[in-house]
C-alpha cells in the first residue's frame, strides 16, 4: 500500500465515523512560547481539551506534522542510526472532545488496523494501565483480543499534560516485526525492554481525570480521547519493512543520496551489523533523508536558521545534514536536490512545500555556503585541539573550546561532540552550558552604572536586599508622584544621605519612572523636595526593586524623606510613540513578509526604535514602502490602544503574541491595537512597556534603514512623530538646494538629471581610459619581451611596469600584449597611491605548466600583497614596492633559468 493510500485510508475511515478532518497546524506553534515545535497531534487542540475554546465539532481526525529535535524530546543523536528515530514525522490521530470514550476509541482502532489495513491480529499486542480494568475488558470482551496478548504497565501507560491538569490512562498497540528484528521471543519482556522487534504504533490516551494537585485526581465531567499513531511506523508495517527508512516515504531522497555519493544503499540488517564502513555510509544517507524533511517543512512553516531558540535547532539540523553530506562527498551538495525530491513527493498533501519551494531551496543554499566555510575553519581548530589532547593522553574537549567553536564559528555542540566521538574523545558539555549561561546573563545585564564608577556587585546586592518590599510602579497612570525614599547608595556602599555633588542610586516606595526592560530604555527626569534636587539619568531594575540612577545637584536627600518624582515628559512621550510604533511595525512585517517574522531584539529610546527580526534576505524598496504605509494608515485611523492585565493562559487564548523563550509570570500585560471596524486586532502582544492611548499620538512613522545583523536576522531603524517631520523638512530643503545647484526647476525630477550626468561621466571615463591606453606604446613594451623555453615549445615572457593605477586600462594593455606575443606570460604592474595593481596572463597552451593564479600568489607574497584568479588570468594588488627587485628576480629565475 502506497503511503498516500495509508494516510487517506485513515482520514477517510474517521470521516465516515463523523469526525471533522482538520488540517495539520504549523510546526511553529501559534501563541505558545513554551513549545519549541508542534510535537503531537493534540497540540492544536490543547485549548479544546482544557475547556478554553469551543469549535463546531466534538470529534476530529488529522495528520499532523511534528518535529522532535530539542528539549526533552531530543533524539537527534540517534537519527539515522536506528530504524525508527526521526526529527520530522507525521502523527495520525483521532480525537474526541467529550463525545465518545473508551469503547468507541478501541473499536475504531482495532477495526482500522485489522479490517481497513488488514494487519493480522496475531501480529498485534496491546498494553493498558495497571488500574484500567475497563480498557482491558473492552479489548478482551468487545474486540476478542486474548488475555495473553494484553499486558499491564504503570508509568508507560499513564499520560499527563503537565504537573497538574488533564490526565489519564492510555492503551498502546504494538506490532511484532518477527524474529529478524530481535531475539526476544517473550512479547511482555520485549515490550517492557523497548526491544526493536515489538514496536508501538498507536497510543490512545483517555483523559478522564483532572489532577488538581500532584496525586489528587478528580473525574472530569466530559472525558476525552487523544490518540496518536506514527505514520512512518505504520507505513513500514504495511510495506513489510523493518526500518522506516526503507519505505517509499524516504526512497526518493535516499535514491538521490546514493546517486550523488556513488555508494549503494544497503538494507540487509546482517550486512549493516557486520560491516562498519557500509553502516556509516547508509546511516549518513538516512540522516540526510530525515533531515531534509525537517529542514524543508520547518522552512516552509516560517522558521529560519539563527543562533537562538527555534532557529538554532533548525540550524543544528541543517549543519548536521551538511556535515554528513561532506562525509559522503566533499564536492557535491546533497540537501538541495534531496529537498527538491521531497517537495515533489509530498506537495500534494502539504501544498505549503510547493508554495515556498524557492524560499526553502534559497535558505538551504545560503546556510550551506555559510557553514561549509565555517566547517573548514572550525574543523582545523577541532583537529588542533584533538592533537593537543592526544599528546597529553587526555580524552575530553573543554567547555571553553566548545564555547569558542559555537560563539566564533557557529559550531553546534552536538556537531563538535560527533567529530570528537569519531576520534574516541568526549566533550565537557556541562562546562559549556555554564559558560553559555554566564555569557547570556552578562549579555542581558541591565547594568548601566559604570559611568559612575559604581561597584556592580554592590549595586546588585543593594537592589536584592530591598526586594522584600517591591517598588510600586505607577508610571502607566502618572508621570509625577509623591514618594518615600526607602534606601540610598553612593554606588559602592549603602548610605543614609546623598549630598550635593554626589551620585548614586535611590530606591523609592513608589515610582513613575519606567525601569529599562523589554527593549525600552529607562526614564529620565528629576526627584525634588524643598531645597534639594537630583537629576535622574536612568532607571534600572534588580528583581522587583527599581534603582534610580541619580546625581544630586542641590541640597541633600536622606532615607524616609518624602520627595516628588517627576519623569521628563517630552522624552517619555517620544519613547512611548516609538514603542507603540514598534508593535505596529512588527505586525506589518508579519503581514508583508510572512509569519516567520519574529522579534530577535529591540531598542526603544526617545530618538528612534531599532528592531531586529528573523528574515533571511534584505527587504526590497517596495516591501519597505508597504510596511511604512500599513503603519501610517493605522496611525491615521486614530485606533484606540488598550492595555489589559490577565492570566498568561487567557492572553494566549485571545491570540496575543508571545516571544518564544521569554519567561512570563502568571499575570501578563497585553497591549492591543484594535479598530472596531476591523475583523481582528492589527496588533496584540504581551508587553510591559509604556504606550500611547491612541495611534494618532504617534503622528507619523518612517523607516530610516534596513540592514543585516547576522545570518537570518535583519534590523530596521525607524523614527516617529516630530523626528519624522524634521526628517522630511531637512530632506526637502536639501533636495531644493541640490536642484538649485544643478540648475533644475523645483518641480522637475532631480533623479532624471542625476541619471543623465551619470551617463555623461561614464562616457567621459571611457574616453579617458582610451586616452590613457593609447598613451602606452605597446610596441615599445614588447621590446622587453624575453624568449623562454617551455614544455609547449618556445614562448615569450614580458614584465611591464606602468605608471597607471586604473585596473581596467591595465587589463586592456595586458590583453594587447598577450595577443601580440601569442604564446607566453605577461606580468603587468601598475602604480597607485595606496596600493599597486598586478595582472598576470598566461596563454592557454602554457597553463599545464604555469597557472596565473599560482604565479600571482607567489609574486605578490614577496611584496606583501594578495590576489587570485583563473589559470590563464589573475589579478591582485601589492601595498609596497620596496622588494620589487626581489620579486622580479624570482620571476626571472622561474622563467629564464
Amino acid at each position: 500500500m502506497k503511503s498516500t493510500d495509508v494516510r487517506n485510508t485513515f482520514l477517510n475511515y474517521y470521516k465516515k465515523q463523523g469526525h471533522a478532518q482538520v488540517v495539520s497546524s504549523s510546526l511553529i506553534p501559534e501563541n505558545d512560547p513554551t513549545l519549541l515545535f508542534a510535537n503531537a497531534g493534540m497540540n492544536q487542540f490543547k485549548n479544546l481539551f482544557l475547556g478554553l475554546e469551543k469549535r463546531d465539532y466534538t470529534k476530529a481526525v488529522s495528520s499532523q506534522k511534528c518535529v522532535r529535535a530539542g528539549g526533552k524530546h531530543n533524539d537527534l543523536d540517534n537519527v539515522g542510526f536506528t530504524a525508527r528515530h526521526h526529527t520530522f514525522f507525521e502523527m495520525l490521530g483521532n480525537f474526541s472532545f467529550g463525545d465518545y470514550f473508551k469503547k468507541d476509541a478501541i473499536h475504531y482502532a482495532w477495526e482500522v488496523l485489522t479490517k481497513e489495513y488488514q494487519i493480522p491480529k496475531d501480529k498485534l499486542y496491546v498494553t493498558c494501565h495497571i488500574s484500567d480494568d475497563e480498557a482491558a475488558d473492552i479489548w478482551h470482551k468487545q474486540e476478542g483480543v486474548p488475555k495473553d496478548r494484553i499486558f499491564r504497565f504503570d508509568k508507560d501507560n499513564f499520560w499527563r499534560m503537565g504537573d497538574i491538569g488533564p490526565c489519564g490512562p492510555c492503551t498502546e498497540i504494538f506490532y511484532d516485526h518477527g524474529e529478524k528484528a530481535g531475539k526476544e521471543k517473550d512479547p511482555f519482556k520485549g515490550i517492557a525492554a523497548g526491544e526493536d522487534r515489538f514496536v508501538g504504533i498507536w497510543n490512545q490516551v483517555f483523559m478522564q481525570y483532572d489532577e488538581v494537585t500532584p496525586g489528587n485526581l478528580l473525574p472530569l465531567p466530559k472525558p476525552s480521547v487523544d490518540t496518536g499513531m506514527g505514520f512512518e511506523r505504520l507505513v513500514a508495517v504495511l510495506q513489510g519493512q523493518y526500518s522506516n527508512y526503507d519505505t517509499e516515504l524516504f526512497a526518493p531522497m535516499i535514491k538521490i543520496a546514493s546517486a550523488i555519493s556513488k555508494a549503494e544503499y544497503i538494507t540487509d540488517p546482517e550486512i549493516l551489523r557486520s560491516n562498519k564502513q557500509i553502516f556509516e555510509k547508509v546511516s549518513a544517507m538516512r540522516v540526510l533523508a530525515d533531515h531534509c524533511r525537517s529542514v524543508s517543512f520547518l522552512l516552509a512553516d516560517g522558521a529560519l536558521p539563527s543562533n537562538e531558540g527555534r532557529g538554532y535547532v533548525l540550524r543544528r539540523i541543517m549543519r548536521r545534514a551538511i556535515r554528513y553530506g561532506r562525509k559522503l562527498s566533499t564536492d557535491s551538495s546533497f540537501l538541495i536536490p534531496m529537498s527538491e525530491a521531497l517537495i515533489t513527493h509530498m506537495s500534494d498533501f502539504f501544498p505549503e512545500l510547493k508554495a515556498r519551494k524557492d524560499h526553502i531551496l534559497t535558505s538551504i543554499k545560503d546556510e550551506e555556503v555559510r557553514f561549509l566555510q565555517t566547517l573548514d575553519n572550525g574543523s582545523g581548530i577541532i583537529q588542533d585541539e584533538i592533537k593537543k589532547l592526544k599528546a597529553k593522553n587526555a580524552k575530553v574537549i573543554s567547555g571553553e573550546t566548545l564555547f569558542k567553536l559555537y560563539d566564533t564559528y557557529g559550531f553546534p555542540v552536538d556537531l563538535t561532540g560527533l567529530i570528537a566521538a569519531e576520534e574516541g574523545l568526549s566533550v565537557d558539555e556541562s562546562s559549556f552550558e555554564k559558560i553559555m549561561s554566564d555569557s547570556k546573563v552578562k549579555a542581558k545585564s541591565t547594568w548601566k552604572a559604570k559611568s559612575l564608577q559604581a561597584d556592580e556587585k554592590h549595586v546588585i546586592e543593594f537592589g536584592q536586599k530591598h526586594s522584600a518590599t517591591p517598588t510600586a510602579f505607577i508610571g502607566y497612570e502618572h508621570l509625577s508622584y509623591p514618594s518615600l525614599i526607602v534606601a540610598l547608595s553612593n554606588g559602592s556602599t549603602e548610605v543614609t544621605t546623598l549630598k550635593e555633588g554626589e551620585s548614586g542610586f535611590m530606591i523609592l516606595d513608589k515610582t513613575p519612572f519606567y525601569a529599562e526592560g523589554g527593549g525600552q530604555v529607562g526614564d529620565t527626569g528629576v526627584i525634588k523636595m524643598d531645597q534639594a534636587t537630583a537629576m535622574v539619568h536612568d532607571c534600572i531594575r534588580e528583581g522587583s526593586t527599581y534603582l534610580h540612577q541619580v546625581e544630586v545637584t542641590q541640597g541633600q536627600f536622606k532615607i524616609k524623606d518624602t520627595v516628588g518624582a517627576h519623569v521628563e515628559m517630552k522624552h517619555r512621550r517620544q519613547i512611548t510613540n516609538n514603542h507603540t510604533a514598534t508593535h505596529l511595525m512588527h505586525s506589518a512585517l508579519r503581514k508583508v513578509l510572512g509569519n516567520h517574522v519574529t522579534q530577535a531584539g529591540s531598542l526603544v529610546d526617545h530618538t528612534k526604535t531599532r528592531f531586529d527580526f528573523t528574515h533571511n534576505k534584505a527587504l526590497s524598496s517596495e516591501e519597505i514602502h508597504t510596511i511604512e504605509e500599513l503603519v501610517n494608515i493605522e496611525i491615521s485611523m486614530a485606533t484606540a490602544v488598550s492595555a489589559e492585565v490577565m492570566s498568561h493562559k487567557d492572553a494566549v487564548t485571545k491570540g496575543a503574541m508571545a516571544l518564544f523563550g521569554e519567561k512570563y509570570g502568571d499575570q501578563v500585560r497585553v497591549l492591543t491595537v484594535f479598530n472596531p471596524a476591523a475583523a481582528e486586532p492589527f496588533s496584540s502582544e504581551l508587553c510591559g512597556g509604556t504606550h500611547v492611548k491612541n495611534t494618532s499620538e504617534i503622528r507619523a512613522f518612517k523607516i530610516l534603514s534596513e540592514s543585516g545583523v547576522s545570518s537570518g536576522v535583519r534590523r530596521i531603524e525607524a523614527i516617529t512623530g516630530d523626528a519624522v517631520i524634521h526628517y522630511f523638512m531637512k530632506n526637502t530643503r536639501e533636495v531644493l538646494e541640490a536642484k538649485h545647484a544643478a540648475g533644475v526647476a523645483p518641480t522637475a525630477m532631480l533623479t532624471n538629471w542625476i541619471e543623465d550626468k551619470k551617463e555623461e561621466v561614464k562616457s567621459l571615463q571611457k574616453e579617458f581610459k582610451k586616452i590613457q591606453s593609447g598613451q602606452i606604446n605597446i610596441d615599445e613594451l614588447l621590446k622587453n619581451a624575453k624568449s623562454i623555453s617551455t614544455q609547449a615549445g618556445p614562448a615569450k615572457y614580458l614584465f611591464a611596469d606602468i605608471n597607471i593605477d586604473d585596473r581596467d586600462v591595465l587589463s586592456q594593455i595586458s590583453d594587447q600584449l598577450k595577443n601580440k606575443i601569442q604564446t607566453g606570460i605577461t606580468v603587468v604592474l601598475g602604480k597607485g597611491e595606496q596600493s599597486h595593481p598586478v595582472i598576470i596572463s598566461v596563454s592557454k597552451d602554457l597553463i599545464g605548466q604555469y597557472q596565473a593564479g599560482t604565479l600571482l600568489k607567489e609574486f605578490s607574497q614577496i611584496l606583501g600583497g594578495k590576489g587570485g584568479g583563473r589559470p590563464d588570468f589573475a589579478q591582485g594588488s601589492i601595498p609596497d614596492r620596496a622588494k620589487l627587485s626581489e620579486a622580479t628576480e624570482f620571476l626571472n629565475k622561474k622563467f629564464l633559468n
Side-chain angles (χ1 to χ4, degrees), residues 332-366:
S332 298
S333 169
F334 286 83
L335 210 47
I336 292 174
M338 291 176 76
S339 292
E340 284 189 282
L342 168 78
I343 292 167
T344 301
H345 187 56
M346 298 192 74
S347 285
D348 286 346
F349 192 74
F350 297 107
E352 63 270 25
L353 289 171
K354 188 175 182 179
R356 304 211 72 197
K357 177 180 178 179
D358 291 344
H359 167 74
I360 293 167
L361 300 180
T362 300
S363 298
I364 292 172
K365 184 177 180 180
D366 289 347

Side-chain angles (χ1 to χ4, degrees), residues 76 163 169 212 252 274-275 292 294 307 312 355 501 550 648 662 667 741 869:
L76 195 57
D163 293 335
V212 290
S274 61
N275 191 312
C292 84
S294 53
N307 286 334
Y312 180 55
V550 298
H648 181 264
E662 287 292 318
Q667 294 293 302

